[in-house]
Amino acid sequence: MSSQPQQNSDGFFGHPKGLSTLFFTEMWERMSYYGMRALLVLFMTASLQQEGLAFTVAAATAIYGLYTGAVYFLGLPGGWIADRLLGGQRTVWYGGIIIMCGHIVLAIPSEHTFFIGLILVATGTGLLKPNISALVGHLYADDDVRRDSGYALYYMGINIGSVLGYMICGYFGEKVGWHWGFGAAAVGMAIGLVQYRKTIGNLGDASLKPEHPMTPAGEKKAWSTIWAIVGTVVVITALTMSGVIAFDPVAVAKYVAIAFTVIFFAYYAYIYFGGKLTQAEKKRMWALFLVCVASACFWSGFEQAGSSLNLFGRDFTDRMIGSFEIPASWFQNVNPMFIIILSPFFAALWINLGKRMISPSYGMKCAIGLIIMATGFIVMFFAAQQAAAGLKVAPMWLVTTYFLHTVGELCLSPVALSAVSKLSPRRFAGQMMGVFVLTYSIGNIIAGLLAGNFDPNNVSELPNLYLQIAIFSIGIGAVIALISLKSKSWEGQGEDHIEAIEPAEAPAKTVG
């Protein structure tokens, strides 16, 4: 890893100047991403009279799941392109431009361009997200003690951006017009791009060139493959929009969820059986497998925030304060606000438990996070019963649910990333982080399919929907907790030789 003096000079709260470049770029990118995402299901399910797309809830939430799942899946090729072809700095720049173009397309009031906008935003995010996070790590020498606090500061920018997105895009989308909200997201990304270009010199030569460049012949072949894939996507999109290819979002979401799950198991098995692992490494892989299962189940419940819980806030929650009606999307602000408040307490909790020689296994911590998240749906079970009785419920039901989800997130999300970095065999560390990211995609798509059971015209079924999610999540969490009583010994097998790798991106704002 190379560095220049300006990279490591103090310039941003005692950190390298380049951190300010990445902090504000990521802040504005997250403003655009979360702002648009908060409006997505609301816009798709709004009636034609409300200038929405009038999709069914099942179709809208399936599309939402496919979109959010694709965002994380596309981070895998996005990271590869930066490592082998473009370098991190250029990949972030091009990704940001594609994101901005996607939001501009979404701002055009046309149903025919809607899916093009989603594809562009997902593609651009796949290019930008993994690489801007990795760039933060490149600003520091391997032995720089500021690295962890630098990431903490960087993730604060993520939370600030999400708050801005929910507030600004949510207000414009619901109060002025849906496409004004999408336009606000485009403006946010544009501000981030201008800031990035004007201050890019602060990054020095950090990831300026590919870390593992290809030969000229290999690079030519890679670009040919990439453009062939792009061309195939363009053709399929055009045929779908013209009606030649029928598109059933629910069916597609089911097939994609199965495909991602098969890829996960196949690659995990490939490393486990074909990676020439020691017995100690195999036991750690089993411990890591528990974390992966907990992660997929967790996000399938947590990501109801943008789908079924978002619709519940719109349709069944009393949002009036005097003469002002709170935009439904604003309720999603509760999560990043609680994260900002609670993160220091959880960081101190694990440290103090460690000092007292109380250190639960990774599996146990993730199981606890999953069960706490599930209790939020028990709260929603009682709220949905009131809604089924024809009442508008108080906002505190949703606030309490988001609080419990945030507590669960803080128990699971950072711990899961740490588990991947510690339990993965060193020579497969990067690949295992990529495999782990698939749990985000699987969880997001399953979340969309589950939310498809939310039927505003059949309110009596809502309590059962939330109760089923709660029972399933608690059951999985309990099983993982029981197995993790044994897996703690697996985690400590062999020499303590695993090097930490750069944090990856997760669906929620703890890590992006």
Side-chain angles (χ1 to χ4, degrees):
M1 181 183 68
S2 58
S3 62
Q4 293 179 343
Q6 64 179 3
Q7 275 180 248
N8 292 316
S9 60
D10 292 345
F12 187 65
F13 295 101
H15 289 269
K17 291 180 181 178
L19 185 60
S20 66
T21 298
L22 302 178
F23 177 97
F24 288 109
T25 304
E26 180 70 340
M27 184 187 80
W28 286 110
E29 187 275 333
R30 290 291 87 180
M31 175 269 182
S32 71
Y33 175 78
Y34 284 111
M36 183 277 276
R37 198 187 73 163
L39 296 175
L40 201 51
V41 171
L42 300 178
F43 168 62
M44 286 190 284
T45 57
S47 66
L48 296 176
Q49 291 77 15
Q50 297 169 318
E51 300 183 352
L53 296 180
F55 289 175
T56 65
V57 170
T61 55
I63 292 168
Y64 173 87
L66 285 168
Y67 164 70
T68 53
V71 163
Y72 295 103
F73 181 77
L74 291 173
L76 303 179
W80 185 88
I81 288 172
D83 285 345
R84 305 303 302 274
L85 296 174
L86 293 176
Q89 290 191 26
R90 283 197 295 168
T91 307
V92 167
W93 171 248
Y94 293 135
I97 291 174
I98 295 172
I99 291 170
M100 182 184 67
C101 291
H103 289 308
I104 291 173
V105 171
L106 287 171
I108 300 172
S110 170
E111 179 183 347
H112 298 293
T113 57
F114 174 71
F115 291 104
I116 296 175
L118 287 186
I119 292 171
L120 288 172
V121 175
T123 303
T125 306
L127 291 171
L128 183 145
K129 281 301 296 174
N131 297 305
I132 195 170
S133 218
L135 267 170
V136 175
H138 285 298
L139 297 176
Y140 300 90
D142 290 340
D143 58 352
D144 195 326
V145 297
R146 300 174 297 170
R147 178 187 294 263
D148 287 349
S149 64
Y151 268 106
L153 190 59
Y154 167 74
Y155 292 136
M156 188 62 70
I158 291 173
N159 287 283
I160 294 171
S162 63
V163 170
L164 289 174
Y166 292 139
M167 294 295 289
I168 296 172
C169 299
Y171 178 83
F172 276 98
E174 293 189 57
K175 297 297 182 181
V176 182
W178 301 113
H179 300 287
W180 284 85
F182 297 136
V187 172
M189 189 67 252
I191 294 172
L193 283 170
V194 170
Q195 184 276 149
Y196 180 76
R197 178 53 64 181
K198 287 180 67 68
T199 62
I200 197 170
N202 292 338
L203 300 177
D205 62 356
S207 197
L208 183 60
K209 297 180 180 179
E211 295 292 321
H212 307 288
M214 305 182 74
T215 63
E219 183 175 342
K220 183 178 180 180
K221 183 178 179 181
W223 280 117
S224 297
T225 302
I226 289 171
W227 285 115
I229 293 172
V230 171
T232 302
V233 171
V234 169
V235 170
I236 292 174
T237 303
L239 292 175
T240 302
M241 291 174 60
S242 62
V244 175
I245 297 178
F247 175 63
D248 181 350
V250 176
V252 171
K254 290 178 180 177
Y255 286 126
V256 172
I258 293 171
F260 284 176
T261 304
V262 169
I263 292 171
F264 169 83
F265 277 106
Y267 210 104
Y268 208 96
Y270 164 73
I271 293 175
Y272 185 87
F273 293 107
K276 298 179 180 179
L277 307 183
T278 65
Q279 286 302 312
E281 288 174 327
K282 286 186 175 181
K283 287 187 176 182
R284 282 195 291 269
M285 286 284 283
W286 276 111
L288 181 57
F289 182 75
L290 294 178
V291 173
C292 291
V293 172
S295 175
C297 293
F298 178 88
W299 298 117
S300 67
F302 184 92
E303 283 298 322
Q304 297 298 313
S307 50
S308 72
L309 294 179
N310 205 5
L311 293 172
F312 190 93
R314 181 191 69 182
D315 298 332
F316 304 116
T317 302
D318 182 6
R319 296 183 281 122
M320 297 302 298
I321 298 180
S323 60
F324 178 74
E325 185 179 44
I326 302 172
S329 54
W330 281 14
F331 284 107
Q332 293 182 63
N333 248 330
V334 175
N335 173 248
M337 288 179 176
F338 275 137
I339 283 185
I340 293 171
I341 295 169
L342 296 176
S343 290
F345 294 99
F346 274 83
L349 172 65
W350 302 130
I351 292 173
N352 290 327
L353 286 177
K355 289 179 179 178
R356 291 171 171 78
M357 305 302 290
I358 302 172
S359 182
S361 67
Y362 287 120
M364 181 62 75
K365 291 177 181 177
C366 291
I368 292 171
L370 180 57
I371 291 171
I372 292 174
M373 182 277 294
T375 61
F377 287 104
I378 295 178
V379 173
M380 288 307 302
F381 167 73
F382 292 107
Q385 284 186 322
Q386 291 192 23
L391 302 174
K392 288 276 189 178
V393 305
M396 286 308 298
W397 289 99
L398 275 177
V399 172
T400 303
T401 297
Y402 285 137
F403 170 78
L404 292 169
H405 283 193
T406 303
V407 172
E409 176 187 0
L410 289 170
C411 286
L412 182 140
S413 185
V415 167
L417 290 171
S418 176
V420 179
S421 69
K422 183 179 179 183
L423 300 178
S424 300
R426 178 190 294 186
R427 58 195 178 281
F428 294 113
Q431 294 177 66
M432 285 306 300
M433 186 60 83
V435 172
F436 178 72
V437 168
L438 280 175
T439 66
Y440 302 154
S441 295
I442 294 168
N444 274 266
I445 294 175
I446 292 175
L449 291 171
L450 286 174
N453 295 316
F454 182 102
D455 185 357
N457 298 318
N458 192 4
V459 188
S460 62
E461 292 298 318
L462 284 182
N464 286 333
L465 168 64
Y466 290 130
L467 186 61
Q468 288 171 9
I469 296 174
I471 292 173
F472 175 79
S473 300
I474 291 173
I476 295 293
V479 171
I480 292 173
L482 289 173
I483 298 175
S484 67
L485 295 175
K486 173 66 175 177
S487 72
K488 184 171 176 61
S489 63
W490 303 343
E491 293 174 4
Q493 288 287 327
E495 71 279 11
D496 191 15
H497 70 284
I498 306 299
E499 291 183 351
I501 60 179
E502 305 298 350
E505 297 302 321
K509 277 71 69 188
T510 41
V511 287

Short mmCIF file of all heavy atoms in Angstrom, two decimals, residues 175 317-327 330-331 395:
data_model
loop_
_atom_site.label_atom_id
_atom_site.label_comp_id
_atom_site.label_asym_id
_atom_site.label_seq_id
_atom_site.Cartn_x
_atom_site.Cartn_y
_atom_site.Cartn_z
N LYS A 175 -45.02 15.18 -0.25
CA LYS A 175 -45.75 16.45 -0.12
C LYS A 175 -45.82 17.26 -1.41
O LYS A 175 -46.77 18.01 -1.61
CB LYS A 175 -45.11 17.30 0.98
CG LYS A 175 -45.18 16.68 2.38
CD LYS A 175 -46.61 16.51 2.85
CE LYS A 175 -46.69 15.95 4.25
NZ LYS A 175 -48.09 15.75 4.70
N THR A 317 -51.20 4.36 10.57
CA THR A 317 -50.61 5.12 11.68
C THR A 317 -51.14 6.55 11.67
O THR A 317 -51.24 7.18 10.61
CB THR A 317 -49.07 5.13 11.58
OG1 THR A 317 -48.61 3.78 11.59
CG2 THR A 317 -48.45 5.88 12.74
N ASP A 318 -51.48 7.05 12.84
CA ASP A 318 -51.93 8.43 13.00
C ASP A 318 -50.72 9.35 12.88
O ASP A 318 -49.89 9.42 13.79
CB ASP A 318 -52.60 8.60 14.37
CG ASP A 318 -53.14 10.01 14.57
OD1 ASP A 318 -53.09 10.82 13.61
OD2 ASP A 318 -53.59 10.32 15.68
N ARG A 319 -50.63 10.04 11.75
CA ARG A 319 -49.44 10.85 11.47
C ARG A 319 -49.68 12.35 11.60
O ARG A 319 -48.85 13.15 11.19
CB ARG A 319 -48.92 10.53 10.07
CG ARG A 319 -48.46 9.09 9.93
CD ARG A 319 -47.88 8.80 8.56
NE ARG A 319 -48.89 8.60 7.53
CZ ARG A 319 -49.02 9.31 6.41
NH1 ARG A 319 -48.22 10.34 6.19
NH2 ARG A 319 -49.97 9.04 5.53
N MET A 320 -50.82 12.72 12.17
CA MET A 320 -51.16 14.14 12.26
C MET A 320 -50.56 14.77 13.52
O MET A 320 -50.68 14.25 14.63
CB MET A 320 -52.67 14.33 12.27
CG MET A 320 -53.37 13.86 11.00
SD MET A 320 -52.76 14.67 9.49
CE MET A 320 -53.17 16.39 9.86
N ILE A 321 -49.88 15.88 13.35
CA ILE A 321 -49.43 16.74 14.45
C ILE A 321 -50.03 18.12 14.18
O ILE A 321 -49.53 18.88 13.35
CB ILE A 321 -47.90 16.84 14.55
CG1 ILE A 321 -47.28 15.46 14.81
CG2 ILE A 321 -47.49 17.81 15.65
CD1 ILE A 321 -45.78 15.48 14.91
N GLY A 322 -51.13 18.40 14.86
CA GLY A 322 -51.87 19.61 14.53
C GLY A 322 -52.44 19.49 13.14
O GLY A 322 -53.17 18.55 12.83
N SER A 323 -52.08 20.43 12.27
CA SER A 323 -52.56 20.39 10.89
C SER A 323 -51.53 19.80 9.93
O SER A 323 -51.77 19.74 8.72
CB SER A 323 -52.91 21.82 10.44
OG SER A 323 -51.76 22.66 10.52
N PHE A 324 -50.37 19.37 10.47
CA PHE A 324 -49.31 18.82 9.63
C PHE A 324 -49.32 17.30 9.68
O PHE A 324 -49.36 16.71 10.76
CB PHE A 324 -47.94 19.35 10.09
CG PHE A 324 -46.78 18.79 9.30
CD1 PHE A 324 -46.54 19.21 8.01
CD2 PHE A 324 -45.95 17.83 9.85
CE1 PHE A 324 -45.47 18.70 7.27
CE2 PHE A 324 -44.88 17.31 9.13
CZ PHE A 324 -44.64 17.75 7.84
N GLU A 325 -49.30 16.69 8.51
CA GLU A 325 -49.25 15.24 8.43
C GLU A 325 -47.80 14.80 8.20
O GLU A 325 -47.17 15.17 7.21
CB GLU A 325 -50.13 14.70 7.30
CG GLU A 325 -50.19 13.18 7.26
CD GLU A 325 -51.09 12.68 6.14
OE1 GLU A 325 -50.98 13.21 5.03
OE2 GLU A 325 -51.89 11.76 6.39
N ILE A 326 -47.26 14.00 9.12
CA ILE A 326 -45.88 13.53 9.01
C ILE A 326 -45.77 12.61 7.79
O ILE A 326 -46.56 11.68 7.66
CB ILE A 326 -45.47 12.75 10.28
CG1 ILE A 326 -45.61 13.62 11.52
CG2 ILE A 326 -44.04 12.22 10.15
CD1 ILE A 326 -45.41 12.85 12.81
N PRO A 327 -44.81 12.84 6.89
CA PRO A 327 -44.61 11.89 5.79
C PRO A 327 -44.31 10.50 6.33
O PRO A 327 -43.55 10.35 7.30
CB PRO A 327 -43.41 12.48 5.04
CG PRO A 327 -43.42 13.95 5.38
CD PRO A 327 -43.93 14.01 6.79
N TRP A 330 -40.70 9.40 6.93
CA TRP A 330 -39.92 9.97 8.03
C TRP A 330 -39.74 8.98 9.18
O TRP A 330 -38.79 9.10 9.97
CB TRP A 330 -40.57 11.26 8.53
CG TRP A 330 -40.27 12.44 7.66
CD1 TRP A 330 -39.76 12.42 6.40
CD2 TRP A 330 -40.49 13.82 7.97
NE1 TRP A 330 -39.64 13.70 5.90
CE2 TRP A 330 -40.09 14.57 6.84
CE3 TRP A 330 -41.00 14.49 9.08
CZ2 TRP A 330 -40.16 15.96 6.82
CZ3 TRP A 330 -41.08 15.87 9.05
CH2 TRP A 330 -40.65 16.60 7.94
N PHE A 331 -40.65 8.01 9.32
CA PHE A 331 -40.50 7.05 10.41
C PHE A 331 -39.21 6.25 10.28
O PHE A 331 -38.66 5.78 11.28
CB PHE A 331 -41.70 6.09 10.45
CG PHE A 331 -42.94 6.72 11.02
CD1 PHE A 331 -44.01 7.05 10.20
CD2 PHE A 331 -43.05 6.98 12.38
CE1 PHE A 331 -45.15 7.63 10.71
CE2 PHE A 331 -44.19 7.56 12.91
CZ PHE A 331 -45.25 7.89 12.08
N PRO A 395 -47.97 6.63 16.72
CA PRO A 395 -46.64 6.48 16.12
C PRO A 395 -45.66 5.70 16.99
O PRO A 395 -44.72 5.10 16.47
CB PRO A 395 -46.17 7.93 15.93
CG PRO A 395 -47.42 8.75 15.88
CD PRO A 395 -48.38 8.05 16.78
#
